[in-house]
Amino acid sequence: GELLNHVDLGVPAASHNMRLRLRKDAKFWSRLREIVDNLEVELRDAVVLPRDTYRQLRHQLRDAPAVEVQFLTASLTYLMPVTVSQARCDDLSWWFTSHKSRIERLVRFYRSLGYPAVHLVVRPGERNFIELVDCLLGPSGGYKLSIDYGAAFEALGHSLSIDPRNDGIFVPPIPHELMQGLPECHNYWPKCAGAIDWTTFVDFTNLAAAGELFGWRTLFYGPQSQLEHVSAYNISVKGRSYTVPGYGVLAQSWASRHVRSWYGRETLASDKETGGWVQRWTSFKVLLLQKPAQLQKTSLQSVARNPILFPTWHLDTEGVDSCWHYDPTTVPLSDWIPRQGKGDARKALETLTDDINNKLGRDYSLAYEEAQLAVRMVDWLVATGGCESLRPRRVASLLGSSGLWSALQRRLLRVWGEVWGDEAVTRISEGILRRIAGQQGEQTAGPPLCAGQQTYTALCEDPGGG
């Protein structure tokens, strides 16, 4: 790590060839020897503390400013990575096996950028929880619905590797008096579950992978707003037909901050604090898993009907929707660099300007939001006008009539304008309708337009749609 601070050595540009540099580059290995010698002197009589213990010490020192100043003046700290024991490796063998291809992709990506390492958080508790649910559901099977903030495996890996100072675990400052009477949990915070805030982003890919170990199926992954279904849901069970009435949160409330957040519209960002946009990709998601019943025998019985009809998002970058121009569910640069087609990540970065970088953040954030708007808007159009109103010929006629188009826009803006803004509602609705009408010949498009067209297909063209 110290070598990274020696710019003249060019370590990031040659980290993938570290062994060769150590053998052939006298300047390189001489500098490394100097660093090691200096560290041995500095670390003599050092005290090794687990990271959480050190963090708790620093939090407690804030109550005694004079002591804190003395401590900071007299001490010098290093963050030292340590190897994983063989026993720990054995415990996590399922994790390495399940995510092998994803880890390899991350390694190739950051090696091409000259990074010496990738940083990942292992969440063994997610597998343990799936195992518990599997036991509770028993042989009759059932469903598990997870709702929390988080992202897919590779997105979380990118966020940590870009900023290695963040280990993905957050324990906010805890007043010392609140720790009285609690067990010693500085090294294992779950011991104090319910008494302290100990949190991390959920790795939804890991949850699904853990489910696969027990024979589960992944039925849906996407933003929490996809749980809402405004249009009716027709379903047949054992030869009988049922219609499940639709429901809309906005129709039962008003466009408060919480309602906006439910629909995916970010309301906390401000031009003063964030330049008008923030990363959305870690916001609340839904993962629906199914444990099939052991008694299911015929292929007809074994095929699960998905309770959520709307287009699912991917849990692996290999499964990105082929319709999408880009992937707003991950860190923007990690998606943008490979899409430049340069073959070399560093060559792609040579074309990155401040303006492009700022535009990426805004475009990806808005696409993440507006993909949710697109689904809700088409769902609402089906609920209020039926599928026939969205057939390609009807839509083409509507787009060709200024009067019909203006009437539709007034309806849409009256319902969704306050949440999403008039410009977004108009732009997204027109794009979706033109795509349904076949007036956009491109196979790929922005994620919102793809999501809108796919929602129409799911509700109106697939058997059993609303």
Side-chain angles (χ1 to χ4, degrees):
E2 288 290 325
L3 283 172
L4 297 178
N5 297 323
H6 294 247
V7 180
D8 61 307
L9 295 179
V11 175
S15 60
H16 63 285
N17 205 12
M18 184 73 74
R19 292 182 180 178
L20 181 63
R21 291 287 300 274
L22 287 171
R23 288 200 307 268
K24 303 293 186 179
D25 191 334
K27 180 179 179 182
F28 188 86
W29 58 256
S30 297
R31 189 74 59 82
L32 177 61
R33 179 175 295 172
E34 292 175 9
I35 292 173
V36 172
D37 290 340
N38 291 334
L39 285 175
E40 287 187 348
V41 173
E42 292 180 9
L43 296 178
R44 190 172 297 141
D45 300 325
V47 176
V48 180
L49 295 174
R51 184 177 184 273
D52 290 333
T53 302
Y54 177 75
R55 290 178 66 177
Q56 188 65 23
L57 172 64
R58 291 295 305 274
H59 289 318
Q60 292 176 351
L61 284 173
R62 292 178 180 177
D63 296 331
V67 178
E68 182 181 26
V69 170
Q70 185 177 359
F71 172 81
L72 294 175
T73 303
S75 64
L76 183 64
T77 59
Y78 291 89
L79 178 62
M80 307 296 292
V82 296
T83 57
V84 179
S85 67
Q86 184 60 49
R88 185 64 167 167
C89 277
D90 292 341
D91 290 340
L92 298 177
S93 60
W94 72 272
W95 184 88
F96 289 108
T97 301
S98 297
H99 301 296
K100 180 177 182 292
S101 61
R102 288 179 276 271
I103 295 172
E104 289 176 343
R105 284 197 294 270
L106 286 170
V107 168
R108 287 195 297 268
F109 179 79
Y110 285 99
R111 177 183 291 164
S112 69
L113 290 173
Y115 278 62
V118 295
H119 295 256
L120 302 170
V121 171
V122 180
R123 300 166 175 82
E126 292 177 341
R127 181 190 185 280
N128 297 339
F129 186 72
I130 291 292
E131 186 174 13
L132 173 62
V133 176
D134 184 79
C135 177
L136 293 173
L137 290 176
S140 62
Y143 297 87
K144 177 188 178 296
L145 182 68
S146 305
I147 307 176
D148 208 335
Y149 54 85
F153 182 94
E154 290 161 275
L156 295 172
H158 285 303
S159 68
L160 287 177
S161 297
I162 290 171
D163 182 11
R165 296 169 298 177
N166 176 17
D167 65 0
I169 307 297
F170 181 63
V171 181
I174 307 168
H176 184 68
E177 59 271 16
L178 296 183
M179 300 296 294
Q180 300 300 319
L182 295 178
E184 180 62 34
C185 56
H186 294 153
N187 296 328
Y188 188 64
W189 290 108
K191 287 182 180 178
C192 299
I196 65 170
D197 187 2
W198 184 87
T199 187
T200 183
F201 290 127
V202 171
D203 183 345
F204 288 102
T205 307
N206 194 48
L207 279 173
E212 291 176 2
L213 297 177
F214 297 93
W216 292 21
R217 300 171 177 143
T218 300
L219 299 183
F220 178 84
Y221 169 65
Q224 64 175 359
S225 62
Q226 310 296 56
L227 290 175
E228 179 176 308
H229 197 137
V230 181
S231 56
Y233 184 13
N234 299 328
I235 187 171
S236 297
V237 179
K238 296 182 179 180
R240 298 189 62 181
S241 298
Y242 299 89
T243 297
V244 181
Y247 179 86
V249 172
L250 184 59
Q252 312 299 324
S253 182
W254 57 285
S256 66
R257 177 171 61 88
H258 301 293
V259 170
R260 292 170 185 262
S261 179
W262 163 258
Y263 284 110
R265 188 60 161 174
E266 177 62 56
T267 59
L268 300 179
S270 70
D271 288 333
K272 180 179 180 181
E273 297 178 359
T274 65
W277 57 270
V278 297
Q279 298 294 356
R280 314 293 203 266
W281 57 270
T282 56
S283 65
F284 272 74
K285 311 284 200 318
V286 168
L287 176 68
L288 180 63
L289 303 176
Q290 185 211 21
K291 177 185 178 180
Q294 293 182 4
L295 298 180
Q296 290 177 339
K297 295 181 179 180
T298 68
S299 59
L300 181 62
Q301 289 175 321
S302 62
V303 175
R305 181 172 180 82
N306 196 338
I308 304 175
L309 295 182
F310 305 114
T312 185
W313 289 3
H314 58 278
L315 289 165
D316 186 295
T317 56
E318 291 294 298
V320 175
D321 194 321
S322 59
C323 178
W324 287 8
H325 271 326
Y326 52 92
D327 179 8
T329 70
T330 189
V331 179
L333 272 181
S334 68
D335 179 66
W336 179 84
I337 290 174
R339 292 180 184 272
Q340 301 315 297
K342 300 293 184 180
D344 186 327
R346 282 172 291 186
K347 289 183 179 179
L349 284 177
E350 290 175 359
T351 66
L352 181 68
T353 64
D354 289 340
D355 289 341
I356 293 176
N357 190 43
N358 291 333
K359 187 175 185 296
L360 282 177
R362 183 179 296 276
D363 289 349
Y364 276 63
S365 295
L366 290 180
Y368 184 95
E369 290 188 353
E370 292 172 354
Q372 300 175 64
L373 163 64
V375 171
R376 286 283 66 77
M377 192 184 303
V378 174
D379 184 22
W380 181 84
L381 286 172
V382 171
T384 56
C387 286
E388 288 304 315
S389 67
L390 292 179
R391 300 302 181 194
R393 293 181 62 181
R394 292 281 296 274
V395 171
S397 297
L398 182 149
L399 291 170
S401 169
S402 59
L404 293 176
W405 173 246
S406 297
L408 175 63
Q409 285 304 297
R410 285 194 296 271
R411 290 175 56 210
L412 289 170
L413 294 176
R414 185 167 59 250
V415 176
W416 299 106
E418 187 176 359
V419 174
W420 293 96
D422 291 1
E423 187 277 333
V425 171
T426 301
R427 170 171 47 83
I428 299 300
S429 62
E430 182 178 2
I432 293 171
L433 293 177
R434 290 194 180 282
R435 197 162 180 84
I436 292 175
Q439 296 180 4
Q440 292 185 347
E442 299 87 353
Q443 293 296 317
T444 61
L449 304 191
C450 296
Q453 183 182 32
Q454 291 163 354
T455 300
Y456 163 73
T457 300
L459 294 179
C460 297
E461 294 186 354
D462 286 349

